[in-house]
Amino acid sequence: MAAGPSHWKRWYRRWETQQESFNPTREARFTAMLDLVQASLPARFTALDLGSGPGALSARLLHRFPKARCVAVDYDPVVLRVGRGALGTFGGRLHWVDARLGSPGWEREMPFRRFDVALSTTALHWLERRPLLRLYRDLGGLLRRGGIFLNGDRLPWSPERPDLARLSERVRRVHFRGARVDSEWAGWHRWWAAAEKDPELAPLFVERARRQSQHPEHPDPSLSTHVLGLRRAGFATVDVVWRHLENGILYARR
Ligand SMILES: C[S@@+](CC[C@H](N)C(=O)[O-])C[C@H]1O[C@@H](n2cnc3c(N)ncnc32)[C@H](O)[C@@H]1O
């Protein structure tokens, strides 16, 4: 018998826990992003969640804005399965799309032609420069004039600020009580190891591995690459509007 919603909700809750374990300001960042949305848009709007994972940002947005609708895009079949199973469609307001952001034609997979806001959390650091610039160019076409873009992610300090990079590292050690840096990721590794053993998810790992093999190793684009891409794509106000050390929110207005 196929697993029911409670099965997927358990995986979804465990996802939340492991993401929070390495990003202690994750919830504050979600709240700050949704405050920016509320301050910028009318009650009824269409949102695009880029690199949605199982839908943490989409779910918070749809709970907070009951007249909004949202498209969650990811290319990992495992997290899409968890998200679809745990959140469903929010009464038709949530659409799931399996697409690789920044690949040629990704935007044609979208169920709507125009969006009011595009958001992303902890995802765009996975894109290499070329797909990232293509993603921004295409977003320039998908977002209506006056629409906004919000990227909550690691926004590394520029190479001219090694002092701030070291400071960020020291603060992380304070937070993790001196634990080795790689131990922050233990929860993330445990989630993936356990998911692979779930008979409902195991078959999806074959396709996941195929897609990941085409994936670069954590390219971590610089803040100036993001800013350049957004300006080239026709975004006007482009700036960091919230920060906790290297964890920030980059805002841009179309
Ligand atoms: C750390 S997770 C964050 C998920 C979610 N936004 C959150 O905050 O919980 C990063 C997500 O980005 C997705 N991702 C990375 N590169 C992508 C790409 N090129 N196209 C689509 N999704 C991508 C991964 O599959 C993963 O689900």
Side-chain angles (χ1 to χ4, degrees):
M1 202 173 64
S6 59
H7 180 81
W8 301 116
K9 282 182 180 148
R10 266 197 305 280
W11 280 117
Y12 179 86
R13 281 194 297 272
R14 285 176 71 177
W15 173 272
E16 294 279 66
T17 308
Q18 56 94 344
Q19 291 284 308
E20 276 150 21
S21 70
F22 66 81
N23 183 359
T25 49
R26 180 174 186 255
E27 200 58 50
R29 194 181 64 189
F30 278 134
T31 304
M33 289 174 78
L34 297 185
D35 288 348
L36 288 158
V37 169
Q38 188 166 341
S40 308
L41 299 180
R44 190 179 300 277
F45 62 85
T46 305
L48 181 56
D49 179 359
L50 304 162
S52 63
L57 173 59
S58 295
R60 284 168 175 78
L61 181 138
L62 292 170
H63 274 303
R64 180 156 161 183
F65 304 109
K67 291 185 180 158
R69 60 183 180 174
C70 184
V71 176
V73 187
D74 207 287
Y75 81 136
D76 183 328
V78 174
V79 296
L80 286 170
R81 182 68 195 92
V82 172
R84 283 189 172 112
L87 302 178
T89 69
F90 257 78
R93 294 195 294 134
L94 177 58
H95 302 256
W96 295 95
V97 174
D98 180 348
R100 180 185 280 260
L101 298 168
S103 64
W106 71 274
E107 79 285 7
R108 289 199 290 276
E109 306 293 320
M110 298 305 113
F112 309 121
R113 296 206 30 225
R114 277 282 177 276
F115 291 86
D116 302 289
V117 56
L119 314 92
S120 182
T121 50
T122 327
L124 299 184
H125 62 269
W126 286 107
L127 270 71
E128 272 184 304
R129 183 181 164 91
R130 188 198 282 248
L132 184 70
L133 295 182
R134 192 186 290 125
L135 170 75
Y136 286 150
R137 189 199 63 198
D138 296 337
L139 275 184
L142 282 174
L143 278 178
R144 67 160 169 85
R145 279 183 83 81
I148 60 168
F149 167 76
L150 294 168
N151 180 24
D153 204 354
R154 209 181 99 77
L155 302 174
W157 303 112
S158 74
E160 294 89 66
R161 299 313 310 259
D163 48 345
L164 289 180
R166 281 196 299 273
L167 177 66
S168 299
E169 200 42 56
R170 287 205 301 275
V171 173
R172 286 190 77 78
R173 279 170 201 224
V174 170
H175 182 85
F176 291 101
R177 295 184 181 79
R180 285 190 331 164
V181 175
D182 56 359
S183 66
E184 293 166 36
W185 304 103
W188 186 85
H189 287 296
R190 268 200 304 276
W191 192 92
W192 284 105
E196 199 164 4
K197 294 198 187 99
D198 179 337
E200 296 278 336
L201 288 172
L204 299 174
F205 273 79
V206 179
E207 176 60 11
R208 177 172 197 268
R210 193 188 67 76
R211 295 183 186 188
Q212 295 257 312
S213 66
Q214 302 155 9
H215 211 323
E217 190 56 39
H218 225 231
D220 219 1
S222 67
L223 177 55
S224 54
T225 303
H226 288 284
V227 172
L228 172 85
L230 288 161
R231 290 210 176 118
R232 270 194 197 159
F235 287 83
T237 313
V238 183
D239 218 329
V240 176
V241 292
W242 182 98
R243 225 190 220 293
H244 177 261
L245 301 168
E246 295 202 311
N247 182 18
I249 300 175
L250 181 62
Y251 165 96
R253 192 173 148 83
R254 179 73 181 87

